[in-house]
Amino acid sequence: MGGGLSRNKAAAANMGEPRMSTQSATSDASDTSDGLSRRNSQQRRFSLLGGDPTRNHKQDVKLVLSKKNLDDVPTGLSNYPMLEHLDLSWNKLKAFPADNVREVPMLTYLNLSYNDIAELPPEFVDLVLLEKIDLQSNNIHFLPEGFARLAKLKELFLASNELKAFPHEVRGMKELETLDLGNNHVKRVGKTLGTLEGLVSLCLSFNLVAALPPDIGKCKMLRTLECTGNEKLQTLPREVGLLQRLEVVDFSNCSLLGLPKEVCDCASLTVINLSGNQINLLPNEICFCPNLKTLNLMGNRIIALPARMQQMKTLRSLIVSNNRLQFVPAAVAHLELTELDVSGNAMIRIPMQVTEAGTQAVMCYLQTIGAQHLLVDKHMERFIDTKADFDNVMSDIADDGGGGGDDDDNDDEGGEETEGQKFLREAKEANFQELGGMAVAKFEHSAMQAPAKEETEEERQARYADAHRSVERTKEWLAADPKRAKAFLPTRKEKQKDFRDEVEQTRKILESRNLTYGNNAVPAIARAQKTNVLNVKSGGVLAIPPEVSELQELRVLDMRDNKVERLGEQIASLPELRIMNISYNRLEEITPNIALTNLRLMNLSFNNLTALEPAIGRMDRLKLLYLSNNRLDSLPKTFSALPLIDLYISENKFRSLPLCIFSMGATLKKLSLGVNELVGIPRAVHHLRVLQYLDISFNQIVELPMELSTLNELERVNASFNPLEREMPVTLCHCTMLVELNLDYTQVAVVPEDAGNLTRLEALQIEGAPLEYPFSNLYKKHPLLPVKVYDTEIRYLDLSSCNFKKLPVLLGRLTKLTELNLSDNQIQIIPVEIGRLTAMERLNLEGNPLAPPFNMLRREPYGDSAIVPFLNPFVKELDLTGCSFHELPQLVLRHAGHLSAINLNDNALRNLPPGFVDLGELVSLSMDNNQLSALPEVVCMMEFLELLHVSRNSLVNITSRIRELQNLKRIVLDSNDLTSVPDQMCELTCLEVLAIPNNALVDLPENFGRMTSLVTIDLRCNDIRKLPRSFGMLRDVEIVDLRINDLKALPRELGMCQNLVELNVSSNSIAEIDRSLASLSNLTSFRASANRIEDISRSLLSGWVAVEDLHLYGNPLPSVASPLNVSGAEACRNLLDLLVTELGQEEEDAGTAALARVMAARPKLGHLVSKKGERVGA
């Protein structure tokens, strides 16, 4: 805010608004008014106010007179009694008279900016309703007394005026939220600032402020603090740390020497701009600002960034250009930065091609090559520890490779968090308010060391008491959990490291100021005589001291970060020297007589070497050699004899890979070739058979040799920033042991199928590469997905929210996939290749605009999984029930030659396509509940068809071609409109089940009995009047259901169906059960309810010995002591017996009555009648 407002005068000049003197304005006015009457002048004035003076403006609330070239405020404001908004900006006003103030008592907004007003009238304070005043770019020196009476004022803009002090007139204005005093001449900010309790935004930019008052800590609501361009400002008050709502801090272009650590207690900070100051170091506490997003440190004197930057999880922009940094912490590489600028730091030797490639290139460099350097340096710290066991440390480094692409150390420089760090992070995130409160309390205690002079004894005692309570609370909080103490209280080792860092930083600061700080080499040599470890790190040494040659037992030499130009005779023959680190020097020459036969590790990185001495090749115990960031373009041939484990020659001038490297194949595990000028890798790379790590980033390599795939132990490859070909190198896809692969900013656009071989891959980076669809979508979802979609062993795959519009056909290779999540994409068509996923158990396509027929296949209870068998041409059975198909999808025809059963129930089909005949292997076809009016002709061409279901349609007849289905065994035509059965159907001699219920059949063909294989006949709910006599030819029939028809009788021939088990003729008009049915000895169920049966033949009692289910209810049979519907053999036999007996008694009674009538007419026949009656009764 302040930066922009402070430049408003320049903006005014650009706007082309000239400022005119009083004389010229008066002259112009007199010229233009020459010859005009006073009435015309008044009309012109009123025209500025909005038109005709006769118009009623009593309800107007807004008046804009900006850029009207006014010399004074127009008269007539009294005509606007309700005016709330008045804009007079960009005019030539010299004052805002008291008369005008009285005319606008309702004002809430007043804009007088960009005028020549030097003073406001005393009556100005009567505008008590004002909420916003804009007075920027005037000549105001002070505000009128009583200005604080404007109790409702929220915004006050006074930038670009002539103020020489912070306006005390605003004291106590608790409603004031925005105060802009930028671009004035303010030298001192007093205690008045502390009275503005509601202040949210404060701008003091481009003034002469030399210090901010401690009272700023009372502005608890402050969110934005801008003080840029105050060149005399060198320190900040620690009370800034009390501003817990502070979000934006801008102290750029001042003269700050440091940032108080208490400022980092501001938990809401998101932006810190400290560019253009004189800061050397930042407090480590800045790493724990939980919401910090932007940190601008450009143009300072910073020599090192805080070590714990991995805690800055929210940081997105880091600008440290034009400082004195020597290196960037590895933790920076693991931040989610979108902007990183480290340019202008002369000591940071990041190659130009990296910095020119932008932020992502620098981040990639730091993550890989930069991390290598820092890891090597940290290993050196372990040797400096004189209590460490040398052999164990050496063994650990050999196992770790002495560095690499990843930092596996659990210290503060990056990598995994320690237990304490993890707890600290969680505490900061989950309980920051609690910690923040403690931090503030602790700060107040420290601030108490220099109490203000005005403080009374009572106030001082109260502060002491508060501080004491705060300390006690802190002790209790730490004692509540031992992890807290571990997280917040440094260990002895951490203290030692922090002390060494402070010493080195102090030396660098003194060196930057051309100040001497003594020679630390002499005491270091004295210590080395006892410890055999010479540590002269960052000592400003110009040459290797001669006394070093006397240290014949020396084992570790660390001379990092000095100014040594020559590796001379002093160390040429130290027989016990095993570790030598002379990195970050100015080496240009190495003595040719160097003979360090016991040397195991040599670090000459970050020097100016252009060539190496062949004598180095005779160090037959050398394991780790670091030569990064020199000017080498070749290696001596003698290097072929070195048993190296690690060789780092990154950041040099190599145009081709030295052939001597391939002679190290039996031992070399890590090889760093990044940032050179390589155009290819020789085919002889297959000699490096134990290589585990290969870095070829930042070169000009287009193609990788196939021989690379023979490296069976290769685990990590970094090929980023190379112009690789469009397709990911196939040779890498056959490196089956790969765990990490970096292809950032290459030309890779396509991932080949062979990538499925990388089953051990844990990390894949292809940032900045022109990935094509679908690999771009897959990578955005998860970096490993472009490879995982080729893994044929994968069981579960989540591709939700990948923004797919077309599903990749490559998924068809994942034949072992059991669960696939494709929800929330833009998929309309499913490729047929998905049909290969035969192991699929769960498919999720929710949230996709699927097109027919795929959207129709998604129905309960099958869900999306039904799509897979639909697309699988080799499936034997296909269930398309309830898909609402009006036409059969053409994709069904892909099943030709394999499909044996298809279920088309519950659709809306009116016919089948001619191509359906291609499904000639069909054995079962179900088309229930569709809209068929006739049986499709193509159905009769299915010569292997055995089961045919066409129920609940609208069939009115059955085609005569039905005879062609000679293998048909079951036909169900339930609930249609059939009136007859064609004679040709009786030729289906293999038919076993015939079901035509719920139709309108009247008669059956006379040759019905030719279907001799029938076992089940279901003709219920029709209008059949009689059965053909040929029915008796159905010797194998077992079940006959003829209920709800119009039968008058059952044919005698029915008794010839000896295998009949169930017979249901309920709800017909049958009057008699023929005696011939007594021969149905296998009958177990007979149901004849709701007929007209009056008589039960005694022969049935002896013939139906197997009946267990008998239903005779609803017939005119006599009443017996049993229900007429019974189950069970005994109950059925009892019912028949009762009916036969009852019917016999009725016959006897009827005969006796008849004979009695005869005797009455002829008495002489009485004896005979009596005897006859007895005989009949017997």
Side-chain angles (χ1 to χ4, degrees):
M1 177 186 68
L5 296 176
S6 61
R7 289 187 287 270
N8 283 331
K9 288 187 176 180
N14 294 334
M15 290 288 291
E17 297 289 343
R19 292 180 176 268
M20 302 177 62
S21 64
T22 305
Q23 291 80 1
S24 62
T26 305
S27 175
D28 291 343
S30 62
D31 292 342
T32 56
S33 63
D34 188 27
L36 295 177
S37 64
R38 183 175 183 180
R39 178 182 178 85
N40 291 338
S41 177
Q42 291 178 350
Q43 289 179 349
R44 186 182 72 82
R45 287 289 185 93
F46 278 117
S47 67
L48 292 173
L49 296 179
D52 191 349
T54 61
R55 176 187 167 188
N56 189 348
H57 297 283
K58 291 184 178 181
Q59 300 303 320
D60 291 352
V61 297
K62 184 175 182 179
L63 181 60
V64 179
L65 299 175
S66 178
K67 298 182 180 180
K68 299 295 184 181
N69 204 27
L70 298 177
D71 295 322
D72 50 23
V73 179
T75 58
L77 289 179
S78 59
N79 294 325
Y80 296 80
M82 304 303 294
L83 193 64
E84 298 178 1
H85 182 113
L86 178 58
D87 186 353
L88 291 168
S89 61
W90 296 91
N91 284 291
K92 304 174 183 178
L93 302 180
K94 299 285 191 303
F96 189 70
D99 294 339
N100 297 124
V101 172
R102 300 186 186 96
E103 293 176 338
V104 286
M106 305 299 292
L107 273 187
T108 60
Y109 171 84
L110 177 60
N111 190 346
L112 297 173
S113 61
Y114 297 97
N115 283 284
D116 290 327
I117 299 174
E119 184 179 357
L120 295 176
E123 292 78 5
F124 189 86
V125 300
D126 294 332
L127 299 174
V128 294
L129 299 180
L130 276 175
E131 296 180 2
K132 180 176 180 179
I133 302 176
D134 191 347
L135 295 169
Q136 62 179 320
S137 293
N138 280 281
N139 296 313
I140 296 174
H141 290 73
F142 53 86
L143 296 176
E145 290 293 333
F147 192 84
R149 289 176 54 194
L150 304 180
K152 294 186 178 182
L153 191 63
K154 295 182 178 180
E155 300 179 63
L156 177 58
F157 297 92
L158 289 167
S160 301
N161 277 280
E162 299 298 328
L163 297 175
K164 292 183 172 56
F166 192 91
H168 68 275
E169 293 85 359
V170 301
R171 176 184 292 272
M173 299 185 72
K174 297 182 179 181
E175 296 297 321
L176 190 62
E177 297 179 357
T178 301
L179 178 59
D180 185 359
L181 300 175
N183 202 12
N184 278 278
H185 307 289
V186 177
K187 297 181 179 180
R188 182 179 178 276
V189 180
K191 294 185 178 182
T192 299
L193 178 59
T195 66
L196 306 178
E197 298 178 0
L199 197 62
V200 174
S201 177
L202 173 63
C203 179
L204 294 170
S205 300
F206 299 102
N207 278 280
L208 304 174
V209 177
L212 294 177
D215 294 78
I216 193 173
K218 298 178 180 179
C219 301
K220 303 293 185 180
M221 306 300 293
L222 197 63
R223 294 185 179 180
T224 302
L225 177 58
E226 299 185 31
C227 293
T228 183
N230 287 278
E231 298 180 355
K232 296 184 178 181
L233 186 62
Q234 293 186 337
T235 59
L236 298 179
R238 291 174 295 181
E239 286 77 5
V240 174
L242 297 173
L243 306 178
Q244 289 298 301
R245 300 194 181 193
L246 192 61
E247 297 177 0
V248 179
V249 170
D250 188 352
F251 286 98
S252 58
N253 298 311
C254 295
S255 299
L256 294 179
L257 302 177
L259 183 69
K261 63 180 181 181
E262 289 81 7
V263 174
C264 305
D265 291 332
C266 301
S268 301
L269 271 180
T270 59
V271 177
I272 298 179
N273 187 353
L274 299 174
S275 60
N277 283 279
Q278 301 176 25
I279 300 173
N280 292 295
L281 292 171
L282 291 176
N284 283 326
E285 286 77 5
I286 200 171
C287 300
F288 299 102
C289 293
N291 296 300
L292 189 61
K293 296 181 179 179
T294 301
L295 179 59
N296 189 345
L297 302 172
M298 177 180 62
N300 278 275
R301 301 174 181 177
I302 295 175
I303 60 174
L305 292 175
R308 294 175 175 83
M309 294 196 69
Q310 73 271 13
Q311 302 292 341
M312 307 179 77
K313 304 295 184 182
T314 61
L315 194 65
R316 297 294 178 267
S317 175
L318 176 61
I319 303 175
V320 289
S321 56
N322 299 317
N323 278 279
R324 299 176 181 178
L325 292 175
Q326 184 172 345
F327 64 89
V328 180
V332 172
H334 300 285
L335 301 178
E336 298 180 12
L337 295 179
T338 57
E339 181 181 15
L340 173 62
D341 188 354
V342 295
S343 61
N345 289 276
M347 299 181 69
I348 296 182
R349 294 174 59 170
I350 298 180
M352 184 177 298
Q353 64 263 42
V354 176
T355 56
E356 290 178 350
T359 297
Q360 294 303 322
V362 176
M363 293 289 287
C364 184
Y365 172 88
L366 294 175
Q367 290 172 358
T368 54
I369 299 175
Q372 295 170 11
H373 303 323
L374 294 176
L375 188 55
V376 172
D377 287 342
K378 282 187 289 183
H379 284 322
M380 288 302 304
E381 299 294 337
R382 301 171 66 182
F383 288 110
I384 295 175
D385 186 357
T386 56
K387 295 183 180 180
D389 185 88
F390 178 86
D391 294 329
N392 289 337
V393 174
M394 190 66 201
S395 177
D396 291 344
I397 296 179
D399 292 340
D400 184 63
D406 290 330
D407 183 1
D408 296 328
D409 226 4
N410 291 334
D411 59 9
D412 294 336
E413 292 291 337
E416 297 184 6
E417 296 175 308
T418 62
E419 193 68 26
Q421 291 170 344
K422 180 179 180 181
F423 176 81
L424 179 59
R425 173 179 58 79
E426 293 175 349
K428 286 287 184 178
E429 294 174 356
N431 302 303
F432 189 84
Q433 294 301 324
E434 180 182 4
L435 298 180
M438 291 176 56
V440 171
K442 184 178 179 181
F443 158 70
E444 290 175 345
H445 176 61
S446 61
M448 188 178 61
Q449 303 301 323
K453 294 182 180 179
E454 299 85 356
E455 188 176 34
T456 64
E457 181 64 24
E458 291 78 6
E459 292 173 339
R460 183 165 60 254
Q461 292 298 332
R463 282 197 299 104
Y464 275 120
D466 290 341
H468 179 73
R469 287 192 294 268
S470 174
V471 171
E472 292 301 321
R473 287 197 303 269
T474 302
K475 290 181 179 179
E476 293 175 1
W477 187 80
L478 291 174
D481 190 340
K483 292 183 178 180
R484 295 176 178 175
K486 183 177 180 181
F488 284 91
L489 304 178
T491 63
R492 178 180 179 183
K493 184 176 180 180
E494 290 173 336
K495 290 179 180 179
Q496 291 175 347
K497 183 179 183 302
D498 291 341
F499 178 75
R500 289 196 299 266
D501 290 343
E502 290 176 2
V503 171
E504 293 176 9
Q505 291 167 1
T506 302
R507 290 172 177 171
K508 291 178 181 179
I509 292 173
L510 293 174
E511 183 180 358
S512 66
R513 298 176 182 177
N514 295 321
L515 299 175
T516 59
Y517 49 87
N519 189 347
N520 68 329
V522 175
I525 292 174
R527 287 193 298 271
Q529 291 176 349
K530 301 178 180 179
T531 63
N532 296 324
V533 175
L534 178 57
N535 179 10
V536 201
K537 178 184 175 183
S538 304
V541 178
L542 301 179
I544 297 177
E547 295 82 358
V548 172
S549 59
E550 300 175 3
L551 303 174
Q552 292 299 300
E553 299 297 324
L554 190 66
R555 303 179 75 180
V556 178
L557 173 62
D558 187 0
M559 296 191 66
R560 283 175 289 171
D561 191 19
N562 283 286
K563 301 177 182 180
V564 177
E565 297 182 357
R566 184 176 185 276
L567 193 58
E569 304 292 339
Q570 301 91 331
I571 63 170
S573 58
L574 296 175
E576 296 299 325
L577 189 62
R578 301 186 183 186
I579 305 298
M580 181 173 69
N581 187 355
I582 312 186
S583 58
Y584 297 96
N585 277 274
R586 302 175 183 178
L587 284 181
E588 296 181 357
E589 182 182 358
I590 300 176
T591 178
N593 299 324
I594 190 169
L596 303 175
T597 55
N598 273 315
L599 197 64
R600 312 289 178 82
L601 184 154
M602 180 163 65
N603 188 357
L604 300 178
S605 301
F606 291 88
N607 282 285
N608 299 322
L609 295 172
T610 57
L612 297 175
E613 292 297 328
I616 296 178
R618 291 189 288 271
M619 300 179 183
D620 55 2
R621 293 190 179 183
L622 188 62
K623 302 291 185 182
L624 312 174
L625 178 59
Y626 306 113
L627 300 169
S628 300
N629 214 308
N630 280 280
R631 301 173 185 175
L632 302 173
D633 58 7
S634 63
L635 296 178
K637 294 181 180 181
T638 56
F639 271 46
S640 59
L642 292 176
L644 292 180
I645 296 176
D646 279 16
L647 176 59
Y648 286 8
I649 54 174
S650 59
E651 303 159 276
N652 279 283
K653 302 294 183 181
F654 290 97
R655 295 187 177 182
S656 61
L657 199 58
L659 296 179
C660 62
I661 292 178
F662 302 121
S663 300
M664 308 173 189
T667 58
L668 192 61
K669 292 183 178 181
K670 291 198 175 185
L671 177 60
S672 178
L673 302 168
V675 200
N676 278 284
E677 300 172 12
L678 300 176
V679 295
I681 301 296
R683 298 176 62 182
V685 70
H686 70 275
H687 291 293
L688 304 177
R689 54 185 180 275
V690 298
L691 192 67
Q692 297 177 357
Y693 175 82
L694 176 62
D695 187 349
I696 54 174
S697 58
F698 296 96
N699 281 285
Q700 298 299 316
I701 300 173
V702 177
E703 184 179 3
L704 297 178
M706 286 302 300
E707 287 74 10
L708 198 64
S709 62
T710 64
L711 305 182
N712 296 326
E713 297 188 21
L714 191 60
E715 297 180 351
R716 292 173 173 82
V717 173
N718 181 7
S720 59
F721 289 89
N722 278 284
L724 296 177
E725 294 179 342
R726 176 176 172 271
E727 185 177 74
M728 176 178 163
V730 177
T731 181
L732 293 177
C733 298
H734 292 280
C735 297
T736 55
M737 300 300 291
L738 271 184
V739 176
E740 298 178 9
L741 176 59
N742 190 335
L743 298 173
D744 287 345
Y745 292 89
T746 58
Q747 298 302 314
V748 171
V750 176
V751 179
E753 290 186 9
D754 293 339
N757 297 323
L758 304 177
T759 56
R760 295 170 58 89
L761 199 64
E762 298 176 1
L764 175 65
Q765 293 182 224
I766 323 180
E767 297 287 345
L771 286 174
E772 298 178 359
Y773 184 89
F775 305 106
S776 56
N777 302 61
L778 291 170
Y779 185 78
K780 186 176 181 180
K781 170 69 176 178
H782 191 282
L784 282 177
L785 279 179
V787 171
K788 290 300 181 183
V789 293
Y790 288 123
D791 185 1
T792 55
E793 298 296 322
I794 197 171
R795 297 294 193 275
Y796 170 77
L797 191 58
D798 183 2
L799 299 180
S800 60
S801 303
C802 287
N803 199 29
F804 283 145
K805 296 182 180 178
K806 182 179 179 182
L807 194 60
V809 297
L810 52 87
L811 295 178
R813 301 177 70 253
L814 310 181
T815 55
K816 295 185 179 180
L817 201 63
T818 59
E819 186 173 350
L820 176 59
N821 187 354
L822 293 169
S823 59
D824 301 320
N825 282 283
Q826 301 297 319
I827 301 170
Q828 296 184 4
I829 306 297
I830 307 296
V832 295
E833 287 79 4
I834 297 300
R836 302 174 188 171
L837 308 181
T838 55
M840 184 67 65
E841 297 176 359
R842 186 173 185 272
L843 175 64
N844 187 354
L845 287 165
E846 291 292 333
N848 283 281
L850 293 178
F854 306 104
N855 58 339
M856 299 178 176
L857 292 168
R858 304 176 60 196
R859 79 279 188 203
E860 294 296 336
Y862 309 97
D864 298 324
S865 299
I867 295 178
V868 177
F870 176 75
L871 296 175
N872 182 7
F874 303 103
V875 74
K876 296 296 182 182
E877 299 180 2
L878 186 59
D879 188 353
L880 300 179
T881 305
C883 293
S884 302
F885 289 146
H886 291 274
E887 296 180 357
L888 193 66
Q890 290 295 316
L891 287 171
V892 174
L893 306 182
R894 295 181 63 254
H895 296 76
H898 299 91
L899 193 65
S900 61
I902 184 170
N903 189 339
L904 298 173
N905 295 344
D906 303 322
N907 284 284
L909 297 175
R910 297 179 183 274
N911 206 341
L912 294 178
F916 194 80
V917 70
D918 295 336
L919 302 177
E921 303 293 328
L922 273 183
V923 174
S924 174
L925 172 60
S926 181
M927 296 186 291
D928 294 344
N929 197 21
N930 279 277
Q931 299 178 11
L932 299 171
S933 59
L935 190 63
E937 295 288 333
V938 293
V939 174
C940 299
M941 303 170 65
M942 304 289 173
E943 59 177 318
F944 299 106
L945 197 63
E946 296 181 3
L947 285 81
L948 177 60
H949 289 227
V950 198
S951 300
R952 296 185 299 281
N953 280 273
S954 302
L955 299 181
V956 295
N957 59 67
I958 301 174
T959 175
S960 60
R961 295 190 62 184
I962 194 72
R963 65 158 69 103
E964 299 178 19
L965 300 177
Q966 287 300 307
N967 289 307
L968 195 63
K969 294 182 179 180
R970 179 187 180 99
I971 182 169
V972 180
L973 303 174
D974 187 6
S975 302
N976 282 284
D977 298 323
L978 298 173
T979 59
S980 63
V981 176
D983 293 341
Q984 293 80 1
M985 181 180 281
C986 299
E987 300 178 18
L988 302 177
T989 57
C990 292
L991 194 63
E992 297 177 358
V993 177
L994 174 64
I996 317 180
N998 297 296
N999 279 272
L1001 299 178
V1002 177
D1003 296 304
L1004 297 177
E1006 288 297 330
N1007 59 348
F1008 190 85
R1010 295 181 61 185
M1011 294 182 283
T1012 56
S1013 297
L1014 279 177
V1015 176
T1016 300
I1017 300 174
D1018 184 358
L1019 297 173
R1020 56 191 161 84
C1021 300
N1022 280 283
D1023 298 322
I1024 300 172
R1025 292 173 292 187
K1026 71 173 184 176
L1027 298 179
R1029 298 181 63 184
S1030 62
F1031 215 92
M1033 300 170 60
L1034 305 176
R1035 304 299 174 84
D1036 294 330
V1037 71
E1038 296 178 0
I1039 300 174
V1040 176
D1041 191 348
L1042 292 167
R1043 55 186 154 148
I1044 315 178
N1045 275 280
D1046 197 19
L1047 295 173
K1048 301 293 190 296
L1050 295 176
R1052 300 172 62 89
E1053 290 78 8
L1054 185 59
M1056 301 170 63
C1057 301
Q1058 294 297 314
N1059 290 316
L1060 190 61
V1061 177
E1062 297 181 14
L1063 176 59
N1064 193 338
V1065 292
S1066 300
S1067 300
N1068 278 276
S1069 301
I1070 300 172
E1072 182 183 6
I1073 301 175
D1074 195 273
R1075 298 175 182 271
S1076 63
L1077 297 186
S1079 61
L1080 301 177
S1081 60
N1082 290 315
L1083 192 67
T1084 61
S1085 176
F1086 178 71
R1087 297 190 177 193
S1089 301
N1091 277 279
R1092 299 177 183 177
I1093 301 172
E1094 299 179 354
D1095 185 18
I1096 297 295
S1097 172
R1098 182 176 294 276
S1099 60
L1100 297 181
L1101 184 61
S1102 59
W1104 289 358
V1105 294
V1107 172
E1108 297 179 352
D1109 185 30
L1110 182 59
H1111 285 207
L1112 295 172
Y1113 183 80
N1115 284 283
L1117 293 168
S1119 298
V1120 294
S1122 171
L1124 295 181
N1125 291 349
V1126 294
S1127 298
E1130 183 177 353
C1132 292
R1133 187 161 186 81
N1134 183 48
L1135 175 60
L1136 288 174
D1137 186 48
L1138 290 173
L1139 289 173
V1140 169
T1141 301
E1142 185 65 27
L1143 288 171
Q1145 182 65 42
E1146 288 182 0
E1147 290 179 3
E1148 179 180 357
D1149 292 344
T1152 302
L1155 290 174
R1157 287 192 296 271
V1158 172
M1159 286 179 64
R1162 300 176 182 179
K1164 60 181 179 180
L1165 297 176
H1167 177 71
L1168 294 175
V1169 171
S1170 176
K1171 290 185 177 180
K1172 179 69 174 177
E1174 291 176 0
R1175 187 166 56 249
V1176 172

